Amino acid sequence: MGVTIHDVARAAGVSVASASRALSGRRKVTPEVAERVARAAAELGYQPNAVAKALRDQTTGTIGMVVPGIGNPFFTTIVEAVEHELQNSGTDLLLCSSRYEPQVEARRLETLLARRVDGLIISPCDIEASVPAVLDAARRVPLVQLDRHIEGGTADWVGVDDEAGVTLAVEHVISGGARSVVFAGSRLVSSSARLRLSGFERAAARAGVEILPPLLGEFTLEWGIEAGRRLLDSGRLPDAVVCGNDEIAVGLLRSLRFGGARVPEDVSVVGFDDVGHATMCDPPLSTVRQPVEEMAAEAVRLLGQVKAADPRPAQRIAITPRLVVRQTSRPSAAGVAE
């Protein structure tokens, strides 16, 4: 059996009530008592009962987070950034993956709510199917969406300005001489997938270049490989491919290289995220960098302001990304070279 508050009180020579007050810090005790109790607790290795503390304070010191998949380097990176931000306030993170399935996502949310988390951060896997579970959770605890969001704008959100990011990519490849462009992205089930495709189409239309039919599958390396094969099999490569994320771009590069296409001489390729393999692939990937640390900091800050079932209008914070030019795109004046 572990050390109890009774043991600490006995060792410090005070009542259990005094020991409890000293350790909780919620009510004052004399400096002498506080010092004796702290010393006794340290010597005995006393660990407060987190469940009992939660029942007293109505908090657990935990935040739940649900992401579509931790196998995606972007979500791994943003989870680490959120956890780092929470550590500054002594808050722990409970992480779940929805596996890109709305039904699993709903169960994960219920599991975290049953654990009495103080708030939730979620990247919804489906812009439409995730709506009921996300809104239900937001009525019960403070909730902030991060990166992706549900349809309707009825819950707080922090993320990258997807349209601004993909516009940077389109303008970059066009300034490098591209006159025909194609978008390789994900099926339109998430806000990120929809906004990046629509942003690409608007930017390319404004520039007056030829827009080839989009290649839509998944945000995965495997889909990037398949998209590259389809481009090679079509018999006509575009001048540039803008990808929905870096995983797709890396897979696409692999296929193009295997098929004998030269990058960027024959076709420019630009990704989106700047995490994972962007600097390690051959050649290093030009991409749009998501400000992950800033996004995480804003999400945690906003979560601290949100209340469950808050009647105020939902806040939407879109953070501007930047273009990082490496070696998979033809040189231009735009972007930050690395």
PDB file of all heavy atoms in Angstrom, residues 192-231:
ATOM      1  N   SER A 192      -9.281  20.347 -44.935  1.00  0.00           N
ATOM      2  CA  SER A 192      -7.983  20.584 -45.564  1.00  0.00           C
ATOM      3  C   SER A 192      -8.003  20.179 -47.031  1.00  0.00           C
ATOM      4  O   SER A 192      -7.509  20.910 -47.898  1.00  0.00           O
ATOM      5  CB  SER A 192      -6.884  19.812 -44.827  1.00  0.00           C
ATOM      6  OG  SER A 192      -6.760  20.248 -43.499  1.00  0.00           O
ATOM      7  N   ALA A 193      -8.561  19.011 -47.314  1.00  0.00           N
ATOM      8  CA  ALA A 193      -8.610  18.523 -48.698  1.00  0.00           C
ATOM      9  C   ALA A 193      -9.425  19.467 -49.572  1.00  0.00           C
ATOM     10  O   ALA A 193      -9.027  19.801 -50.693  1.00  0.00           O
ATOM     11  CB  ALA A 193      -9.206  17.117 -48.731  1.00  0.00           C
ATOM     12  N   ARG A 194     -10.564  19.909 -49.072  1.00  0.00           N
ATOM     13  CA  ARG A 194     -11.435  20.780 -49.871  1.00  0.00           C
ATOM     14  C   ARG A 194     -10.820  22.158 -50.099  1.00  0.00           C
ATOM     15  O   ARG A 194     -10.830  22.677 -51.220  1.00  0.00           O
ATOM     16  CB  ARG A 194     -12.793  20.914 -49.191  1.00  0.00           C
ATOM     17  CG  ARG A 194     -13.587  19.627 -49.143  1.00  0.00           C
ATOM     18  CD  ARG A 194     -14.999  19.861 -48.626  1.00  0.00           C
ATOM     19  NE  ARG A 194     -15.729  18.597 -48.509  1.00  0.00           N
ATOM     20  CZ  ARG A 194     -17.012  18.506 -48.195  1.00  0.00           C
ATOM     21  NH1 ARG A 194     -17.722  19.607 -47.961  1.00  0.00           N
ATOM     22  NH2 ARG A 194     -17.600  17.324 -48.101  1.00  0.00           N
ATOM     23  N   LEU A 195     -10.284  22.734 -49.037  1.00  0.00           N
ATOM     24  CA  LEU A 195      -9.755  24.094 -49.153  1.00  0.00           C
ATOM     25  C   LEU A 195      -8.496  24.146 -50.011  1.00  0.00           C
ATOM     26  O   LEU A 195      -8.286  25.113 -50.756  1.00  0.00           O
ATOM     27  CB  LEU A 195      -9.471  24.653 -47.761  1.00  0.00           C
ATOM     28  CG  LEU A 195     -10.708  24.971 -46.924  1.00  0.00           C
ATOM     29  CD1 LEU A 195     -10.327  25.259 -45.480  1.00  0.00           C
ATOM     30  CD2 LEU A 195     -11.475  26.148 -47.521  1.00  0.00           C
ATOM     31  N   ARG A 196      -7.664  23.123 -49.923  1.00  0.00           N
ATOM     32  CA  ARG A 196      -6.441  23.141 -50.731  1.00  0.00           C
ATOM     33  C   ARG A 196      -6.757  22.946 -52.214  1.00  0.00           C
ATOM     34  O   ARG A 196      -6.136  23.583 -53.068  1.00  0.00           O
ATOM     35  CB  ARG A 196      -5.459  22.084 -50.213  1.00  0.00           C
ATOM     36  CG  ARG A 196      -4.902  22.468 -48.851  1.00  0.00           C
ATOM     37  CD  ARG A 196      -4.029  21.409 -48.207  1.00  0.00           C
ATOM     38  NE  ARG A 196      -3.870  21.731 -46.775  1.00  0.00           N
ATOM     39  CZ  ARG A 196      -3.224  20.986 -45.893  1.00  0.00           C
ATOM     40  NH1 ARG A 196      -2.648  19.847 -46.282  1.00  0.00           N
ATOM     41  NH2 ARG A 196      -3.149  21.361 -44.631  1.00  0.00           N
ATOM     42  N   LEU A 197      -7.718  22.095 -52.535  1.00  0.00           N
ATOM     43  CA  LEU A 197      -8.090  21.942 -53.939  1.00  0.00           C
ATOM     44  C   LEU A 197      -8.740  23.212 -54.468  1.00  0.00           C
ATOM     45  O   LEU A 197      -8.377  23.702 -55.545  1.00  0.00           O
ATOM     46  CB  LEU A 197      -9.044  20.767 -54.109  1.00  0.00           C
ATOM     47  CG  LEU A 197      -9.615  20.601 -55.531  1.00  0.00           C
ATOM     48  CD1 LEU A 197      -8.508  20.380 -56.559  1.00  0.00           C
ATOM     49  CD2 LEU A 197     -10.637  19.477 -55.574  1.00  0.00           C
ATOM     50  N   SER A 198      -9.686  23.769 -53.723  1.00  0.00           N
ATOM     51  CA  SER A 198     -10.372  24.969 -54.215  1.00  0.00           C
ATOM     52  C   SER A 198      -9.400  26.146 -54.318  1.00  0.00           C
ATOM     53  O   SER A 198      -9.466  26.945 -55.256  1.00  0.00           O
ATOM     54  CB  SER A 198     -11.550  25.327 -53.308  1.00  0.00           C
ATOM     55  OG  SER A 198     -11.117  25.631 -51.995  1.00  0.00           O
ATOM     56  N   GLY A 199      -8.477  26.249 -53.368  1.00  0.00           N
ATOM     57  CA  GLY A 199      -7.478  27.312 -53.435  1.00  0.00           C
ATOM     58  C   GLY A 199      -6.572  27.160 -54.635  1.00  0.00           C
ATOM     59  O   GLY A 199      -6.222  28.149 -55.297  1.00  0.00           O
ATOM     60  N   PHE A 200      -6.189  25.918 -54.929  1.00  0.00           N
ATOM     61  CA  PHE A 200      -5.365  25.638 -56.115  1.00  0.00           C
ATOM     62  C   PHE A 200      -6.092  26.063 -57.383  1.00  0.00           C
ATOM     63  O   PHE A 200      -5.528  26.738 -58.259  1.00  0.00           O
ATOM     64  CB  PHE A 200      -5.035  24.146 -56.172  1.00  0.00           C
ATOM     65  CG  PHE A 200      -4.463  23.689 -57.486  1.00  0.00           C
ATOM     66  CD1 PHE A 200      -3.108  23.778 -57.736  1.00  0.00           C
ATOM     67  CD2 PHE A 200      -5.296  23.166 -58.474  1.00  0.00           C
ATOM     68  CE1 PHE A 200      -2.585  23.359 -58.961  1.00  0.00           C
ATOM     69  CE2 PHE A 200      -4.787  22.750 -59.686  1.00  0.00           C
ATOM     70  CZ  PHE A 200      -3.427  22.850 -59.937  1.00  0.00           C
ATOM     71  N   GLU A 201      -7.359  25.664 -57.494  1.00  0.00           N
ATOM     72  CA  GLU A 201      -8.109  25.961 -58.714  1.00  0.00           C
ATOM     73  C   GLU A 201      -8.292  27.464 -58.903  1.00  0.00           C
ATOM     74  O   GLU A 201      -8.181  27.967 -60.028  1.00  0.00           O
ATOM     75  CB  GLU A 201      -9.464  25.239 -58.665  1.00  0.00           C
ATOM     76  CG  GLU A 201      -9.325  23.725 -58.780  1.00  0.00           C
ATOM     77  CD  GLU A 201     -10.642  22.995 -58.624  1.00  0.00           C
ATOM     78  OE1 GLU A 201     -11.577  23.568 -58.002  1.00  0.00           O
ATOM     79  OE2 GLU A 201     -10.752  21.848 -59.101  1.00  0.00           O
ATOM     80  N   ARG A 202      -8.548  28.183 -57.827  1.00  0.00           N
ATOM     81  CA  ARG A 202      -8.719  29.627 -57.946  1.00  0.00           C
ATOM     82  C   ARG A 202      -7.405  30.315 -58.340  1.00  0.00           C
ATOM     83  O   ARG A 202      -7.385  31.203 -59.195  1.00  0.00           O
ATOM     84  CB  ARG A 202      -9.266  30.213 -56.635  1.00  0.00           C
ATOM     85  CG  ARG A 202     -10.764  30.058 -56.480  1.00  0.00           C
ATOM     86  CD  ARG A 202     -11.289  30.915 -55.338  1.00  0.00           C
ATOM     87  NE  ARG A 202     -10.947  30.341 -54.051  1.00  0.00           N
ATOM     88  CZ  ARG A 202     -11.734  29.477 -53.396  1.00  0.00           C
ATOM     89  NH1 ARG A 202     -12.885  29.106 -53.930  1.00  0.00           N
ATOM     90  NH2 ARG A 202     -11.381  29.001 -52.222  1.00  0.00           N
ATOM     91  N   ALA A 203      -6.316  29.897 -57.699  1.00  0.00           N
ATOM     92  CA  ALA A 203      -5.018  30.519 -58.001  1.00  0.00           C
ATOM     93  C   ALA A 203      -4.590  30.241 -59.435  1.00  0.00           C
ATOM     94  O   ALA A 203      -4.096  31.137 -60.134  1.00  0.00           O
ATOM     95  CB  ALA A 203      -3.966  30.019 -57.020  1.00  0.00           C
ATOM     96  N   ALA A 204      -4.783  29.008 -59.891  1.00  0.00           N
ATOM     97  CA  ALA A 204      -4.394  28.656 -61.261  1.00  0.00           C
ATOM     98  C   ALA A 204      -5.284  29.370 -62.278  1.00  0.00           C
ATOM     99  O   ALA A 204      -4.811  29.814 -63.336  1.00  0.00           O
ATOM    100  CB  ALA A 204      -4.466  27.147 -61.450  1.00  0.00           C
ATOM    101  N   ALA A 205      -6.586  29.493 -61.970  1.00  0.00           N
ATOM    102  CA  ALA A 205      -7.501  30.186 -62.885  1.00  0.00           C
ATOM    103  C   ALA A 205      -7.137  31.658 -63.000  1.00  0.00           C
ATOM    104  O   ALA A 205      -7.175  32.232 -64.107  1.00  0.00           O
ATOM    105  CB  ALA A 205      -8.936  30.017 -62.405  1.00  0.00           C
ATOM    106  N   ARG A 206      -6.789  32.272 -61.893  1.00  0.00           N
ATOM    107  CA  ARG A 206      -6.389  33.683 -61.936  1.00  0.00           C
ATOM    108  C   ARG A 206      -5.158  33.886 -62.809  1.00  0.00           C
ATOM    109  O   ARG A 206      -5.017  34.904 -63.490  1.00  0.00           O
ATOM    110  CB  ARG A 206      -6.096  34.201 -60.515  1.00  0.00           C
ATOM    111  CG  ARG A 206      -7.320  34.465 -59.678  1.00  0.00           C
ATOM    112  CD  ARG A 206      -6.977  35.302 -58.446  1.00  0.00           C
ATOM    113  NE  ARG A 206      -5.989  34.644 -57.599  1.00  0.00           N
ATOM    114  CZ  ARG A 206      -6.300  33.838 -56.581  1.00  0.00           C
ATOM    115  NH1 ARG A 206      -7.575  33.586 -56.312  1.00  0.00           N
ATOM    116  NH2 ARG A 206      -5.344  33.308 -55.836  1.00  0.00           N
ATOM    117  N   ALA A 207      -4.262  32.893 -62.785  1.00  0.00           N
ATOM    118  CA  ALA A 207      -3.018  33.008 -63.559  1.00  0.00           C
ATOM    119  C   ALA A 207      -3.217  32.684 -65.036  1.00  0.00           C
ATOM    120  O   ALA A 207      -2.339  32.961 -65.856  1.00  0.00           O
ATOM    121  CB  ALA A 207      -1.954  32.091 -62.968  1.00  0.00           C
ATOM    122  N   GLY A 208      -4.351  32.081 -65.369  1.00  0.00           N
ATOM    123  CA  GLY A 208      -4.637  31.775 -66.769  1.00  0.00           C
ATOM    124  C   GLY A 208      -3.869  30.594 -67.332  1.00  0.00           C
ATOM    125  O   GLY A 208      -3.728  30.475 -68.547  1.00  0.00           O
ATOM    126  N   VAL A 209      -3.400  29.686 -66.472  1.00  0.00           N
ATOM    127  CA  VAL A 209      -2.663  28.513 -66.968  1.00  0.00           C
ATOM    128  C   VAL A 209      -3.622  27.341 -67.171  1.00  0.00           C
ATOM    129  O   VAL A 209      -4.758  27.358 -66.686  1.00  0.00           O
ATOM    130  CB  VAL A 209      -1.540  28.121 -65.991  1.00  0.00           C
ATOM    131  CG1 VAL A 209      -0.496  29.224 -65.901  1.00  0.00           C
ATOM    132  CG2 VAL A 209      -2.103  27.789 -64.615  1.00  0.00           C
ATOM    133  N   GLU A 210      -3.152  26.323 -67.856  1.00  0.00           N
ATOM    134  CA  GLU A 210      -3.962  25.130 -68.093  1.00  0.00           C
ATOM    135  C   GLU A 210      -4.052  24.313 -66.814  1.00  0.00           C
ATOM    136  O   GLU A 210      -3.033  24.019 -66.178  1.00  0.00           O
ATOM    137  CB  GLU A 210      -3.356  24.288 -69.211  1.00  0.00           C
ATOM    138  CG  GLU A 210      -4.164  23.039 -69.524  1.00  0.00           C
ATOM    139  CD  GLU A 210      -3.512  22.171 -70.586  1.00  0.00           C
ATOM    140  OE1 GLU A 210      -2.385  22.505 -71.023  1.00  0.00           O
ATOM    141  OE2 GLU A 210      -4.125  21.153 -70.967  1.00  0.00           O
ATOM    142  N   ILE A 211      -5.275  23.934 -66.449  1.00  0.00           N
ATOM    143  CA  ILE A 211      -5.492  23.141 -65.227  1.00  0.00           C
ATOM    144  C   ILE A 211      -5.936  21.742 -65.645  1.00  0.00           C
ATOM    145  O   ILE A 211      -6.999  21.565 -66.244  1.00  0.00           O
ATOM    146  CB  ILE A 211      -6.566  23.778 -64.334  1.00  0.00           C
ATOM    147  CG1 ILE A 211      -6.225  25.240 -64.022  1.00  0.00           C
ATOM    148  CG2 ILE A 211      -6.726  22.974 -63.049  1.00  0.00           C
ATOM    149  CD1 ILE A 211      -7.335  25.977 -63.300  1.00  0.00           C
ATOM    150  N   LEU A 212      -5.126  20.754 -65.336  1.00  0.00           N
ATOM    151  CA  LEU A 212      -5.472  19.367 -65.648  1.00  0.00           C
ATOM    152  C   LEU A 212      -6.364  18.795 -64.545  1.00  0.00           C
ATOM    153  O   LEU A 212      -6.367  19.294 -63.414  1.00  0.00           O
ATOM    154  CB  LEU A 212      -4.199  18.541 -65.791  1.00  0.00           C
ATOM    155  CG  LEU A 212      -3.204  19.026 -66.860  1.00  0.00           C
ATOM    156  CD1 LEU A 212      -2.006  18.097 -66.927  1.00  0.00           C
ATOM    157  CD2 LEU A 212      -3.878  19.136 -68.220  1.00  0.00           C
ATOM    158  N   PRO A 213      -7.137  17.746 -64.835  1.00  0.00           N
ATOM    159  CA  PRO A 213      -8.030  17.165 -63.817  1.00  0.00           C
ATOM    160  C   PRO A 213      -7.265  16.738 -62.576  1.00  0.00           C
ATOM    161  O   PRO A 213      -6.173  16.161 -62.677  1.00  0.00           O
ATOM    162  CB  PRO A 213      -8.643  15.954 -64.537  1.00  0.00           C
ATOM    163  CG  PRO A 213      -8.568  16.299 -65.990  1.00  0.00           C
ATOM    164  CD  PRO A 213      -7.290  17.078 -66.145  1.00  0.00           C
ATOM    165  N   PRO A 214      -7.803  17.014 -61.394  1.00  0.00           N
ATOM    166  CA  PRO A 214      -7.077  16.671 -60.160  1.00  0.00           C
ATOM    167  C   PRO A 214      -6.974  15.170 -59.941  1.00  0.00           C
ATOM    168  O   PRO A 214      -7.824  14.391 -60.403  1.00  0.00           O
ATOM    169  CB  PRO A 214      -7.923  17.327 -59.066  1.00  0.00           C
ATOM    170  CG  PRO A 214      -9.304  17.386 -59.650  1.00  0.00           C
ATOM    171  CD  PRO A 214      -9.105  17.635 -61.124  1.00  0.00           C
ATOM    172  N   LEU A 215      -5.942  14.774 -59.213  1.00  0.00           N
ATOM    173  CA  LEU A 215      -5.739  13.382 -58.818  1.00  0.00           C
ATOM    174  C   LEU A 215      -6.028  13.301 -57.320  1.00  0.00           C
ATOM    175  O   LEU A 215      -5.270  13.818 -56.503  1.00  0.00           O
ATOM    176  CB  LEU A 215      -4.298  12.953 -59.106  1.00  0.00           C
ATOM    177  CG  LEU A 215      -3.867  13.011 -60.577  1.00  0.00           C
ATOM    178  CD1 LEU A 215      -2.353  12.948 -60.695  1.00  0.00           C
ATOM    179  CD2 LEU A 215      -4.519  11.882 -61.357  1.00  0.00           C
ATOM    180  N   LEU A 216      -7.142  12.663 -56.952  1.00  0.00           N
ATOM    181  CA  LEU A 216      -7.589  12.668 -55.555  1.00  0.00           C
ATOM    182  C   LEU A 216      -7.647  11.247 -55.001  1.00  0.00           C
ATOM    183  O   LEU A 216      -8.288  10.370 -55.577  1.00  0.00           O
ATOM    184  CB  LEU A 216      -8.965  13.326 -55.442  1.00  0.00           C
ATOM    185  CG  LEU A 216      -9.063  14.761 -55.970  1.00  0.00           C
ATOM    186  CD1 LEU A 216     -10.484  15.290 -55.786  1.00  0.00           C
ATOM    187  CD2 LEU A 216      -8.052  15.676 -55.282  1.00  0.00           C
ATOM    188  N   GLY A 217      -6.967  11.035 -53.895  1.00  0.00           N
ATOM    189  CA  GLY A 217      -6.955   9.728 -53.248  1.00  0.00           C
ATOM    190  C   GLY A 217      -6.907   9.880 -51.738  1.00  0.00           C
ATOM    191  O   GLY A 217      -7.904  10.161 -51.107  1.00  0.00           O
ATOM    192  N   GLU A 218      -5.716   9.709 -51.148  1.00  0.00           N
ATOM    193  CA  GLU A 218      -5.536   9.835 -49.705  1.00  0.00           C
ATOM    194  C   GLU A 218      -4.305  10.699 -49.427  1.00  0.00           C
ATOM    195  O   GLU A 218      -3.458  10.901 -50.286  1.00  0.00           O
ATOM    196  CB  GLU A 218      -5.346   8.455 -49.057  1.00  0.00           C
ATOM    197  CG  GLU A 218      -6.448   7.461 -49.367  1.00  0.00           C
ATOM    198  CD  GLU A 218      -7.794   7.846 -48.786  1.00  0.00           C
ATOM    199  OE1 GLU A 218      -7.809   8.625 -47.797  1.00  0.00           O
ATOM    200  OE2 GLU A 218      -8.825   7.377 -49.301  1.00  0.00           O
ATOM    201  N   PHE A 219      -4.195  11.167 -48.184  1.00  0.00           N
ATOM    202  CA  PHE A 219      -3.014  11.932 -47.769  1.00  0.00           C
ATOM    203  C   PHE A 219      -1.887  10.971 -47.391  1.00  0.00           C
ATOM    204  O   PHE A 219      -1.360  11.015 -46.271  1.00  0.00           O
ATOM    205  CB  PHE A 219      -3.349  12.822 -46.569  1.00  0.00           C
ATOM    206  CG  PHE A 219      -4.041  14.116 -46.919  1.00  0.00           C
ATOM    207  CD1 PHE A 219      -5.219  14.473 -46.274  1.00  0.00           C
ATOM    208  CD2 PHE A 219      -3.518  14.986 -47.859  1.00  0.00           C
ATOM    209  CE1 PHE A 219      -5.859  15.674 -46.571  1.00  0.00           C
ATOM    210  CE2 PHE A 219      -4.144  16.191 -48.166  1.00  0.00           C
ATOM    211  CZ  PHE A 219      -5.316  16.530 -47.525  1.00  0.00           C
ATOM    212  N   THR A 220      -1.495  10.097 -48.317  1.00  0.00           N
ATOM    213  CA  THR A 220      -0.501   9.074 -47.987  1.00  0.00           C
ATOM    214  C   THR A 220       0.582   8.986 -49.055  1.00  0.00           C
ATOM    215  O   THR A 220       0.378   9.364 -50.216  1.00  0.00           O
ATOM    216  CB  THR A 220      -1.158   7.685 -47.876  1.00  0.00           C
ATOM    217  OG1 THR A 220      -1.736   7.334 -49.148  1.00  0.00           O
ATOM    218  CG2 THR A 220      -2.236   7.669 -46.799  1.00  0.00           C
ATOM    219  N   LEU A 221       1.730   8.436 -48.650  1.00  0.00           N
ATOM    220  CA  LEU A 221       2.819   8.193 -49.588  1.00  0.00           C
ATOM    221  C   LEU A 221       2.378   7.220 -50.677  1.00  0.00           C
ATOM    222  O   LEU A 221       2.743   7.378 -51.854  1.00  0.00           O
ATOM    223  CB  LEU A 221       4.026   7.654 -48.822  1.00  0.00           C
ATOM    224  CG  LEU A 221       5.301   7.395 -49.625  1.00  0.00           C
ATOM    225  CD1 LEU A 221       6.523   7.802 -48.810  1.00  0.00           C
ATOM    226  CD2 LEU A 221       5.410   5.924 -50.006  1.00  0.00           C
ATOM    227  N   GLU A 222       1.598   6.214 -50.292  1.00  0.00           N
ATOM    228  CA  GLU A 222       1.141   5.212 -51.261  1.00  0.00           C
ATOM    229  C   GLU A 222       0.291   5.847 -52.362  1.00  0.00           C
ATOM    230  O   GLU A 222       0.418   5.483 -53.543  1.00  0.00           O
ATOM    231  CB  GLU A 222       0.348   4.113 -50.550  1.00  0.00           C
ATOM    232  CG  GLU A 222       1.168   3.218 -49.656  1.00  0.00           C
ATOM    233  CD  GLU A 222       1.556   3.866 -48.341  1.00  0.00           C
ATOM    234  OE1 GLU A 222       0.929   4.901 -47.963  1.00  0.00           O
ATOM    235  OE2 GLU A 222       2.488   3.364 -47.681  1.00  0.00           O
ATOM    236  N   TRP A 223      -0.566   6.789 -51.983  1.00  0.00           N
ATOM    237  CA  TRP A 223      -1.364   7.469 -53.001  1.00  0.00           C
ATOM    238  C   TRP A 223      -0.482   8.342 -53.888  1.00  0.00           C
ATOM    239  O   TRP A 223      -0.699   8.441 -55.095  1.00  0.00           O
ATOM    240  CB  TRP A 223      -2.479   8.304 -52.381  1.00  0.00           C
ATOM    241  CG  TRP A 223      -3.111   9.220 -53.398  1.00  0.00           C
ATOM    242  CD1 TRP A 223      -3.139  10.570 -53.392  1.00  0.00           C
ATOM    243  CD2 TRP A 223      -3.782   8.825 -54.612  1.00  0.00           C
ATOM    244  NE1 TRP A 223      -3.775  11.062 -54.507  1.00  0.00           N
ATOM    245  CE2 TRP A 223      -4.183   9.999 -55.279  1.00  0.00           C
ATOM    246  CE3 TRP A 223      -4.074   7.593 -55.190  1.00  0.00           C
ATOM    247  CZ2 TRP A 223      -4.859   9.987 -56.495  1.00  0.00           C
ATOM    248  CZ3 TRP A 223      -4.755   7.568 -56.408  1.00  0.00           C
ATOM    249  CH2 TRP A 223      -5.144   8.754 -57.043  1.00  0.00           C
ATOM    250  N   GLY A 224       0.528   8.945 -53.307  1.00  0.00           N
ATOM    251  CA  GLY A 224       1.459   9.731 -54.117  1.00  0.00           C
ATOM    252  C   GLY A 224       2.142   8.890 -55.170  1.00  0.00           C
ATOM    253  O   GLY A 224       2.308   9.310 -56.319  1.00  0.00           O
ATOM    254  N   ILE A 225       2.536   7.668 -54.800  1.00  0.00           N
ATOM    255  CA  ILE A 225       3.156   6.746 -55.761  1.00  0.00           C
ATOM    256  C   ILE A 225       2.181   6.427 -56.886  1.00  0.00           C
ATOM    257  O   ILE A 225       2.532   6.454 -58.070  1.00  0.00           O
ATOM    258  CB  ILE A 225       3.611   5.460 -55.052  1.00  0.00           C
ATOM    259  CG1 ILE A 225       4.775   5.766 -54.097  1.00  0.00           C
ATOM    260  CG2 ILE A 225       4.011   4.382 -56.063  1.00  0.00           C
ATOM    261  CD1 ILE A 225       5.175   4.606 -53.205  1.00  0.00           C
ATOM    262  N   GLU A 226       0.929   6.139 -56.513  1.00  0.00           N
ATOM    263  CA  GLU A 226      -0.077   5.819 -57.523  1.00  0.00           C
ATOM    264  C   GLU A 226      -0.379   7.024 -58.405  1.00  0.00           C
ATOM    265  O   GLU A 226      -0.535   6.889 -59.633  1.00  0.00           O
ATOM    266  CB  GLU A 226      -1.361   5.344 -56.832  1.00  0.00           C
ATOM    267  CG  GLU A 226      -2.536   5.082 -57.763  1.00  0.00           C
ATOM    268  CD  GLU A 226      -2.250   4.010 -58.811  1.00  0.00           C
ATOM    269  OE1 GLU A 226      -1.387   3.149 -58.566  1.00  0.00           O
ATOM    270  OE2 GLU A 226      -2.910   4.035 -59.877  1.00  0.00           O
ATOM    271  N   ALA A 227      -0.457   8.210 -57.817  1.00  0.00           N
ATOM    272  CA  ALA A 227      -0.715   9.414 -58.614  1.00  0.00           C
ATOM    273  C   ALA A 227       0.411   9.638 -59.619  1.00  0.00           C
ATOM    274  O   ALA A 227       0.166  10.030 -60.772  1.00  0.00           O
ATOM    275  CB  ALA A 227      -0.854  10.625 -57.690  1.00  0.00           C
ATOM    276  N   GLY A 228       1.654   9.401 -59.201  1.00  0.00           N
ATOM    277  CA  GLY A 228       2.781   9.533 -60.119  1.00  0.00           C
ATOM    278  C   GLY A 228       2.688   8.551 -61.274  1.00  0.00           C
ATOM    279  O   GLY A 228       2.976   8.901 -62.432  1.00  0.00           O
ATOM    280  N   ARG A 229       2.282   7.325 -60.982  1.00  0.00           N
ATOM    281  CA  ARG A 229       2.113   6.318 -62.042  1.00  0.00           C
ATOM    282  C   ARG A 229       1.057   6.759 -63.043  1.00  0.00           C
ATOM    283  O   ARG A 229       1.217   6.585 -64.259  1.00  0.00           O
ATOM    284  CB  ARG A 229       1.725   4.975 -61.424  1.00  0.00           C
ATOM    285  CG  ARG A 229       2.843   4.277 -60.665  1.00  0.00           C
ATOM    286  CD  ARG A 229       2.320   3.015 -60.032  1.00  0.00           C
ATOM    287  NE  ARG A 229       3.336   2.340 -59.242  1.00  0.00           N
ATOM    288  CZ  ARG A 229       3.097   1.620 -58.163  1.00  0.00           C
ATOM    289  NH1 ARG A 229       1.838   1.470 -57.739  1.00  0.00           N
ATOM    290  NH2 ARG A 229       4.066   1.037 -57.495  1.00  0.00           N
ATOM    291  N   ARG A 230      -0.033   7.322 -62.521  1.00  0.00           N
ATOM    292  CA  ARG A 230      -1.111   7.755 -63.423  1.00  0.00           C
ATOM    293  C   ARG A 230      -0.646   8.889 -64.335  1.00  0.00           C
ATOM    294  O   ARG A 230      -1.016   8.935 -65.512  1.00  0.00           O
ATOM    295  CB  ARG A 230      -2.336   8.184 -62.608  1.00  0.00           C
ATOM    296  CG  ARG A 230      -2.979   7.032 -61.864  1.00  0.00           C
ATOM    297  CD  ARG A 230      -4.294   7.448 -61.214  1.00  0.00           C
ATOM    298  NE  ARG A 230      -4.848   6.381 -60.393  1.00  0.00           N
ATOM    299  CZ  ARG A 230      -6.035   6.409 -59.812  1.00  0.00           C
ATOM    300  NH1 ARG A 230      -6.807   7.485 -59.968  1.00  0.00           N
ATOM    301  NH2 ARG A 230      -6.450   5.400 -59.081  1.00  0.00           N
ATOM    302  N   LEU A 231       0.158   9.799 -63.775  1.00  0.00           N
ATOM    303  CA  LEU A 231       0.688  10.874 -64.611  1.00  0.00           C
ATOM    304  C   LEU A 231       1.593  10.316 -65.705  1.00  0.00           C
ATOM    305  O   LEU A 231       1.515  10.728 -66.868  1.00  0.00           O
ATOM    306  CB  LEU A 231       1.463  11.872 -63.750  1.00  0.00           C
ATOM    307  CG  LEU A 231       0.642  12.810 -62.867  1.00  0.00           C
ATOM    308  CD1 LEU A 231       1.567  13.665 -62.003  1.00  0.00           C
ATOM    309  CD2 LEU A 231      -0.256  13.716 -63.715  1.00  0.00           C
TER     310      LEU A 231
END
